[in-house]
Amino acid sequence: MAGVGSYLPEKVMTNDDLSKIVETSGEWIVQRTGIKRRHIAAEGEYTSDLATAAAQRALQNSGLGPADIDVVILATSTPDNTFPATAVTVQHRLGIHHGFAFDVQAVCSGFVYAMTIADSLIRAGSADTVLVIGAETFSRILDWTDRSTCVLFGDGAGAAVLRAQPVVDGEPEQGILSCHLRSDGVHKDKLYVDGGPSSTQTTGHLRMQGREVFKHAVGMISGVVTDAFAATGTTPDDLAWFIPHQANRRIIEASAEKLGIDMDKVVMTVEGHGNTSAASIPLALDVAVKDGRVKRGDLVMLEAMGGGFTWGSVLLRW
Ligand code: UT7
């Protein structure tokens, strides 16, 4: 893990702002989700803009430059266009003209999917240095008349630079230690966008059976986190930090409790970011690295669950 960076659009939308648009209250939103504010991209500000800004900060924090990057992987469900991949735009904007770039679409689990692919490319010797980004403009696919969904999401981007590093005899392995990904399309109608190029030829809007998603979330999250502990011979006590996908405070608290992870070890940013889908984990990781919580050598568990359903965990040593 060479470094991380993130970017949030300037405009902040509070729960009070939302209560002027739909029949809701700050009290309901905070009590049910823990969200107080979210950032919203400006008109003309695209996912590629957010992703490029986050990537530039991650590169700077890594002490690396565009010439060092072999692969750009962008996790997003809100690409600038149907094609080309938004990753290619970001690659170009960063001034990278070698290697390759592509998008990963796994909704809220996009970042753990992208990290898993990056780890595989590095372990296979296909790449030395990979830029992994999660970037979203969910404000563009929300139905702003649907109070059950529009209060939950926000825009943002986070990025991480992964670099090959030999394992040194007698020292603990650094970087990604385990990856566990899952999906099950039987749940695809519980969280989806009701449009697309092949079906409606429109972009569509996000639709969610919130209670149904909630019902499955804790079990699925606990499953892949338990798999990570089992595969690496580690326990919740070994963890320095638990950095979950930031969808809902109650889901995070219930997952931590079920897993036996102390709440003092949980990084929580949902209050100020809302659910930024694939961007939420790298945004939270960047916050915790910047404020000094995550230190070199720390064992850090990432996990996410979202549309598909998709879910997964990544255990890493920072
Ligand atoms: O990123 C991964 C995917 N997303 C998630 O993880 C989200 C998972 N789901 C959730 O976080 C929760 O289910 C929600 C936060 C979406 C909803 O919380 P809930 O406790 O499951 O509430 P509910 O859907 O059961 O709705 C309770 C009530 C309903 O009214 P009635 O039928 O009880 O009269 C809703 O109509 O709350 C009402 N409601 C609202 N009231 C005020 C729904 N949205 C709102 C709102 N403001 N914004």
Side-chain angles (χ1 to χ4, degrees), residues 23-25 28-29 32-33 108 147-148 151-153 191 208 210-211 213-214 217 245 247-248 250-251 275 305-307:
E23 189 67 37
T24 189
S25 68
W28 189 95
I29 301 172
R32 302 285 175 138
T33 72
C108 298
R147 70 175 182 174
S148 71
V151 304
L152 305 174
F153 296 90
L191 174 50
M208 177 165 71
R211 217 176 288 183
V213 179
F214 199 116
H245 166 52
N248 184 317
R250 288 187 295 149
I251 294 176
N275 181 348
M305 180 268 182

Side-chain angles (χ1 to χ4, degrees), residues 83-113:
F83 78 76
T86 303
V88 175
T89 304
V90 175
Q91 180 193 28
H92 170 65
R93 295 268 304 278
L94 293 172
I96 303 172
H97 300 285
H98 58 270
F100 57 98
F102 60 96
D103 287 359
V104 168
Q105 218 282 45
V107 205
C108 298
S109 310
F111 190 74
V112 294
Y113 270 61

Side-chain angles (χ1 to χ4, degrees), residues 1 4-6 107-115 132-136 156-160 221 242-247 252 267-270 273-289 294 300-305 311-314 316 318:
M1 299 296 302
V4 282
S6 66
V107 205
C108 298
S109 310
F111 190 74
V112 294
Y113 270 61
M115 290 284 276
V132 181
I133 311 165
E136 303 278 17
I221 290 164
F242 181 52
I243 309 191
H245 166 52
Q246 308 281 321
I252 296 173
V267 176
M268 191 96 75
T269 51
V270 69
H273 298 170
N275 181 348
T276 58
S277 186
S280 92
I281 292 174
L283 270 162
L285 178 61
D286 189 43
V287 166
V289 169
V294 173
V300 180
M301 180 76 76
L302 315 180
E303 60 79 0
M305 180 268 182
W311 65 108
S313 68
V314 169
L316 59 90
W318 180 254

Side-chain angles (χ1 to χ4, degrees), residues 261-275:
I261 298 171
D262 199 297
M263 277 310 290
D264 291 348
K265 293 180 175 182
V266 181
V267 176
M268 191 96 75
T269 51
V270 69
E271 175 181 321
H273 298 170
N275 181 348

